[in-house]
């Protein structure tokens, strides 16, 4: 058992001392990453990000952020959903192995220092630079919306999320890399103008390729193609049995295509019996196995894979206040740290 395993919630004192240098004692550095609480987490979040976070919390000082302010940049019309979504996301994080004894979970809107720092960083960020951010350009094109100030400054708030912790490393999906690049630019500009303050954080790309949805499109709750961590084994089996496979294959005796077939992509990720998977692939290509058999085994393997997560999840939902209590506790543990950074910035920018 590593020393990091026995680490507990950072006390206010250790959080403060950690601002002195990016590499806190006994760790490889500091991580800040997070999710917008848009709803329950699915198996794409699990294999893409949550498993990676669970490993990293042993070696790094980790802050995992519930970015609830960011939700409002697009979804401000549905305030009634947000609190439940936050509870669901935190519950799923914990079920997936995020451990509040090793990592600190924080709620963005409860630490207004995030927003205050974003306002200050906005002073040294041009509108033209923000208008070039690809996620922004895509969103106004796709949603055909009239962009709000909040949407334009989304990545400035994200930069503040990262810089206020003086994080070294930000594990994210590929779509987020432009935001990390902006964060690095803002850190450089601040350091040049006001003296060395922020480490330039590195983005760390999620290792696993993105898992497709059950219909082979991008997995997304609103497409109805996601398997949630909170789904029952029966629901999961049903979703697997109706998965998209090779559409050109009409009978089990037709040779099928394995590449780009989500059933086999899932087998590769969730079925630990690699020999069985190779045998299925061979017989599928030869037209010697039916989709039903392949899917049945996938459903079993996936349910086995998810069993420990579901067990933890069912324990958690018995105590409905527990997830939010853990989030509040983490938030309070982080408060002295974000206050210290904000004060430093206020002082350097001439406001103290
Ligand atoms: N923008 C991120 C996403 O949509 C969420 C996020 C907010 C974030 N603040 C962050 C991620 C800071 C990493 C670091 O996934």
């Amino acid at each position: 058992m590593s020393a990091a395993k026995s680490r507990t919630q950072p006390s206010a004192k250790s959080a403060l001392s950690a601002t002195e240098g990016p590499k806190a004692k006994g760790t490889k550095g500091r991580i800040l990453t997070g999710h917008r609480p848009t709803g329950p987490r699915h198996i794409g979040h699990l294999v893409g990000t949550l498993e990676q976070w669970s490993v990293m919390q042993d070696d790094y000082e980790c802050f995992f952020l519930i970015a609830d302010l960011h939700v409002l940049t697009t979804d401000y019309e549905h305030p009634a959903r947000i609190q439940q979504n936050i509870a669901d996301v935190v519950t799923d994080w914990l079920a997936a192995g995020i451990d509040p004894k090793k990592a600190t979970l924080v709620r963005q809107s409860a630490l207004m220092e995030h927003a205050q720092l974003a306002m200050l960083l906005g002073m040294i960020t041009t509108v033209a630079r923000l208008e070039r951010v690809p996620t922004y350009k895509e969103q106004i094109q796709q949603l055909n919306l009239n962009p709000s100030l909040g949407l334009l400054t989304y990545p400035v708030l994200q930069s503040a999320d990262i810089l206020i912790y003086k994080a070294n490393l930000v594990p994210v999906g590929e779509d987020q890399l432009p935001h990390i690049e902006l964060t690095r630019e803002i850190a450089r500009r601040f350091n040049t103008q006001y003296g060395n303050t922020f480490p330039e954080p590195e983005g760390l790309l999620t290792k696993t390729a993105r898992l497709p949805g059950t219909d082979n499109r991008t997995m997304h709750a609103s497409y109805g193609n996601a398997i949630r961590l909170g789904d029952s084994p029966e629901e999961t089996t049903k979703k697997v049995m109706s998965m998209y496979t090779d559409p050109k294959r009409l009978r089990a005796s037709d040779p099928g295509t394995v590449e780009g077939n989500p059933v086999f992509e899932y087998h590769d990720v969730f079925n630990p019996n690699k020999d069985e998977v190779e045998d299925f692939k061979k017989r599928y290509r030869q037209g010697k196995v039916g989709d039903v058999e392949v899917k049945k085994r996938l459903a079993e393997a996936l349910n086995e894979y998810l069993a420990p997560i579901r067990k933890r999840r069912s324990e958690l939902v018995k105590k409905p206040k527990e997830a939010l209590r853990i989030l509040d506790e983490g938030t309070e543990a982080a408060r002295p740290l974000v206050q210290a950074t904000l004060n430093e910035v206020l002082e350097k920018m001439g406001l103290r």
Side-chain angles (χ1 to χ4, degrees):
M1 185 133 307
S2 71
K5 279 241 165 71
S6 60
R7 246 177 341 120
T8 50
Q9 195 79 40
S11 65
K13 189 161 161 284
S14 75
L16 270 174
S17 69
T19 65
E20 290 160 16
K23 302 234 178 342
K25 54 180 180 288
T27 73
K28 291 190 195 163
R30 187 179 288 171
I31 282 176
L32 177 292
T33 188
H35 282 169
R36 276 171 303 144
T38 50
R41 302 294 87 178
H42 52 61
I43 56 174
H45 296 121
L46 178 69
V47 300
T49 63
L50 296 176
E51 287 178 353
Q52 188 189 32
W53 297 4
S54 303
V55 172
M56 289 189 302
Q57 65 186 347
D58 285 332
D59 295 328
Y60 295 84
E61 186 185 9
C62 289
F63 293 88
F64 297 128
L65 177 74
I66 294 287
D68 52 355
L69 286 172
H70 274 122
V71 171
L72 299 180
T73 59
T74 50
D75 209 17
Y76 60 88
E77 286 155 315
H78 304 108
R81 296 181 193 162
I82 300 178
Q83 295 310 309
Q84 186 58 48
N85 283 347
I86 291 172
D88 287 345
V89 171
V90 174
T91 302
D92 287 340
W93 281 5
L94 297 169
I98 302 303
D99 182 347
K101 290 199 196 70
K102 298 176 185 170
T104 308
L105 279 62
V106 295
R107 187 200 289 250
Q108 187 185 41
S109 70
L111 296 171
M112 284 315 276
E113 287 81 0
H114 284 242
Q116 289 173 281
L117 181 61
M119 153 137 301
L120 295 168
L121 298 179
M123 307 301 175
I124 58 168
T125 310
T126 66
V127 172
R129 175 65 181 85
L130 295 178
E131 283 172 340
R132 286 198 300 272
V133 172
T135 45
Y136 174 76
K137 288 200 293 194
E138 276 162 34
Q139 255 182 331
I140 53 179
Q141 263 170 24
Q142 277 176 13
L143 307 177
N144 198 18
L145 49 74
N146 191 0
S148 66
L149 180 61
L151 188 67
L152 180 69
T153 58
Y154 182 119
V156 182
L157 178 57
Q158 184 163 353
S159 299
D161 294 338
I162 297 164
L163 296 179
I164 204 155
Y165 293 92
K166 301 190 177 187
N168 314 99
L169 207 59
V170 189
V172 282
E174 200 163 15
D175 61 317
Q176 296 294 309
L177 287 181
H179 296 171
I180 311 304
E181 192 45 48
L182 177 74
T183 307
R184 293 167 60 84
E185 284 174 35
I186 292 178
R188 272 201 295 277
R189 182 161 307 144
F190 190 97
N191 292 344
T192 307
Q193 182 70 41
Y194 301 108
N196 221 354
T197 307
F198 298 117
E200 264 180 58
E202 307 266 352
L204 181 71
L205 253 196
T206 313
K207 277 199 199 73
T208 336
R210 187 181 271 192
L211 200 68
T214 53
D215 61 358
N216 211 25
R217 293 190 293 167
T218 308
M219 193 180 305
H220 202 287
S222 65
Y223 294 168
N225 64 357
I227 295 173
R228 297 170 166 185
L229 303 188
D231 283 348
S232 68
E234 294 73 28
E235 285 169 310
T236 302
T237 302
K238 215 171 129 197
K239 288 181 181 179
V240 168
M241 295 312 290
S242 64
M243 266 178 89
Y244 173 101
T245 56
D246 178 353
K248 293 197 290 291
R249 193 173 187 247
L250 304 175
R251 290 170 210 85
S253 55
D254 294 345
T257 306
V258 163
E259 287 70 32
N261 184 331
V263 172
F264 287 98
E265 285 185 53
Y266 281 29
H267 262 296
D268 281 335
V269 175
F270 298 109
N271 189 344
N273 186 344
K274 297 302 162 209
D275 292 341
E276 181 183 54
V277 175
E278 285 318 306
D279 178 59
F280 274 152
K281 286 182 181 173
K282 201 172 116 208
R283 286 159 59 208
Y284 198 83
R285 289 191 177 106
Q286 296 170 335
K288 288 189 175 149
V289 65
D291 279 294
V292 172
E293 186 185 341
V294 181
K295 284 178 172 176
K296 266 196 181 140
R297 270 298 299 138
L298 173 61
E300 282 165 18
L302 181 55
N303 279 326
E304 250 168 69
Y305 191 98
L306 294 174
I309 295 167
R310 287 175 173 152
K311 189 157 171 278
R312 275 197 295 270
R313 203 176 180 287
S314 64
E315 291 302 314
L316 276 161
V317 294
K318 278 186 206 151
K319 296 180 268 176
K321 296 263 182 320
E322 182 67 358
L324 292 180
R325 189 192 63 72
I326 287 169
L327 183 60
D328 287 347
E329 208 172 271
T331 303
E332 290 318 312
R335 193 178 296 280
L337 167 53
V338 298
Q339 284 175 339
T341 306
L342 183 69
N343 283 333
E344 186 184 351
V345 169
L346 287 168
E347 199 171 303
K348 287 182 168 166
M349 292 185 89
L351 298 177
R352 288 287 180 278

